[in-house]
Amino acid sequence: MMPKMDGLQATRAIRAMQAERPDAEEIPIIAVSANAFAEDVQTSLDAGMNGHISKPLNVAEVAKVIARNLNKV
């Protein structure tokens, strides 16, 4: 939870900046959340995030998701 907007709102705002920032669609954004249900993951993806990692963190999973998304850049 962030003070001005949550991660979903921030992701939507970043993705909407394509006119000013051509790379706005390519910036990897990965949710880190205690919300772990399938619908929570889908909400993150629908907002434009590239992945969703649930807490408590599994270091191997974090590394896998980061590596998968860095290879896209």
Side-chain angles (χ1 to χ4, degrees), residues 1-17 29 43-44 47-49:
M1 300 290 178
M2 297 185 294
K4 299 281 183 185
M5 62 175 73
D6 64 24
L8 299 170
Q9 294 167 317
T11 298
R12 290 184 195 106
I14 291 167
R15 298 299 188 222
M17 296 173 66
I29 303 173
T43 299
S44 296
M49 293 186 184

Side-chain angles (χ1 to χ4, degrees), residues 31-33 53-62:
V32 177
S33 175
I53 301 171
S54 299
K55 296 176 188 176
L57 297 179
N58 173 314
V59 176
E61 179 68 17
V62 172

Side-chain angles (χ1 to χ4, degrees), residues 22-65:
D23 63 343
E25 191 64 32
E26 300 171 19
I27 297 168
I29 303 173
I30 301 166
V32 177
S33 175
N35 301 326
F37 292 112
E39 57 266 20
D40 299 319
V41 175
Q42 191 59 52
T43 299
S44 296
L45 298 175
D46 290 346
M49 293 186 184
N50 300 90
H52 183 105
I53 301 171
S54 299
K55 296 176 188 176
L57 297 179
N58 173 314
V59 176
E61 179 68 17
V62 172
K64 185 173 90 175
V65 172

